Amino acid sequence: MAMMNMNTPKIGVLLFSNNGLRLSGKDTPDGTYESRMLKLEGRVLDGLKQFANLIYTGIVYTRSDLDRAMEAFQAEKAEGVFALYLSWAPDANWIRFQRDMPAMPVLFASMIPENIPFETTFSANDSVAANTVRGLVGSLQAGGSIARIKRSMLETVLGTYDDIMEKARLFFAAANVRARLKEAVVAHISRHHEVMWSTYVDGFSLFQHVGPEVKVLAASAVRREMDSIPDSDVQAALKQLTDKYAVMDDVDMDKLAASVRSSIAMDRVAAAAGADYIVMNDLDGALHKDLGLRPGFLPCPNGHGIPATPEGDIGAGTAAYILRILSGKPAVVVEPGYINPVTGFVDIGHGGPNDYTNPDSKVKIAKDTRLLNADVEFPGAGFAWQVIGQGVKTMLHLSQSNGGFKMACTVVEAQDVDYFHASFCHGRVKPLTGSPAEVFGKLLRFGTTQHYAVAPGDYRKELAELASIMNFEYLEA
């Protein structure tokens, strides 16, 4: 399935209040307790709507209100639940929710009132006002059951309205990633490579602890698809590419057409498997023999929007998928190559397939010099040669560890550079959180492998929330 702009979470909302107080204050200047709760309800919902699609059935006063809300959350596939005591309320409904609601991320919030609208509680009006701001009482009471039930993926936050909305934005962005990962399919083409066993992840563990389902696709199936593609489809895609990107003078146009044909074929085979992203072992001799090259244009024009990442590393490909969800922009997979001791910059890059469609990147069509002298059908076939665009980037690593997974991230500033590394998607970056030695020293001690996904923007806060929800080991370097 093609996937972009999928980063709007769908969340259930639970706002608890006190059924016994609903009609109190009927004849007071500021109205009933219930009418005052409705004003606060509106403010909370307005804030959440700024970053989420809401599933909401009304204030929870009674068990039937709770049942209706929980049924809606499950029917509409909520990715998480936001819970808040509008004022003090009995805890039976909240306890029942914790016990009975299927596992999903839950953010329990306690909001500091914007103001205290009374000085004493001597009048009936002020007595009702006092009841409307006693959310802290309900929250602390609820906190007792949180500690006893120990529901997984439940976090708490206490703060101002703005504090809570910012926490909710980050938390539910992470919940959205979790939901997308649970639905994702990764096409693995086609084998691991024996030079990097510690890099690879187990498909069962990935499914259990991260979410995506791995479907292994054979290069021979891609070749059969290549041979069935009409020349008109290849020429249409080729025209789009050559209209958009400059073609270097030494590119063989017949071999370029073969690269486009293989990219279309891989896209179609992956799409038929329901894939959201492709992880290709582009070093595999069997792939080179079957296809005659490494496909150079994924996502491909007129295709399904499915990107690919290199070297058979499903952890790295999944890290790129995570950044793609968070940013809504293409992500690539690179290796930090070396630290320049004079400039303090780090050169990063990787050969093989990567998403070249970020408009901030520099892209031209060049020949793949890594296979230029190889015994393949189309040596030196054209591919999308890319320089990572200037600006702040998140670098993210994901790999297997201690029966689960570990995640590490840092932020860097990509420099404005010209092409300097043949046949690689590449760039030059400056770490923003310390010297290169400090940053990569931390990553080395944490035990990451060599692959990192890179995407525009700073997503450290969202990734910290995701690591907490997913129970990953986590390092921000």
Side-chain angles (χ1 to χ4, degrees), residues 346-389:
V346 182
D347 285 356
I348 62 175
H350 212 294
N354 256 315
D355 191 336
Y356 58 95
T357 61
N358 191 326
D360 295 334
S361 298
K362 297 176 182 176
V363 179
K364 63 175 68 173
I365 296 174
K367 61 183 179 182
D368 185 355
T369 58
R370 294 187 82 190
L371 293 184
L372 184 60
N373 299 311
D375 182 19
V376 296
E377 186 177 356
F378 306 104
F383 83 110
W385 191 24
Q386 176 181 183
V387 176
I388 295 167

Side-chain angles (χ1 to χ4, degrees), residues 261-281:
R261 181 182 295 274
S262 69
S263 301
I264 295 171
M266 188 161 287
D267 171 84
R268 291 180 180 178
V269 171
D276 296 279
Y277 57 107
I278 298 167
V279 174
M280 189 193 314
N281 181 8

Side-chain angles (χ1 to χ4, degrees), residues 234-235 238-239 241-242 247-260 365 378 380-382:
V234 176
Q235 291 304 313
L238 181 59
K239 184 176 188 309
L241 289 166
T242 55
V247 182
M248 296 186 70
D249 293 339
D250 59 352
V251 171
D252 183 298
M253 295 306 291
D254 289 336
K255 293 178 182 178
L256 174 58
S259 182
V260 172
I365 296 174
F378 306 104

Side-chain angles (χ1 to χ4, degrees), residues 352-467:
N354 256 315
D355 191 336
Y356 58 95
T357 61
N358 191 326
D360 295 334
S361 298
K362 297 176 182 176
V363 179
K364 63 175 68 173
I365 296 174
K367 61 183 179 182
D368 185 355
T369 58
R370 294 187 82 190
L371 293 184
L372 184 60
N373 299 311
D375 182 19
V376 296
E377 186 177 356
F378 306 104
F383 83 110
W385 191 24
Q386 176 181 183
V387 176
I388 295 167
Q390 185 178 14
V392 173
K393 315 289 180 183
T394 298
M395 292 181 62
L396 176 65
H397 170 86
L398 180 71
S399 61
Q400 208 163 334
S401 177
N402 297 323
F405 276 74
K406 65 168 54 174
M407 194 164 71
C409 75
T410 191
V411 287
V412 298
E413 183 177 29
Q415 307 300 298
D416 183 12
V417 296
D418 203 354
Y419 298 85
F420 64 88
H421 202 313
S423 292
F424 270 40
C425 166
H426 62 288
R428 182 166 291 151
V429 302
K430 175 184 178 181
L432 295 179
T433 58
S435 71
E438 290 168 340
V439 170
F440 287 97
K442 290 178 182 177
L443 293 167
L444 179 62
R445 288 189 295 274
F446 188 60
T448 68
T449 63
Q450 75 274 32
H451 290 151
Y452 293 79
V454 179
D458 181 353
Y459 293 95
R460 287 174 293 175
K461 292 180 180 179
E462 290 88 343
L463 291 168
E465 295 288 351
L466 179 64

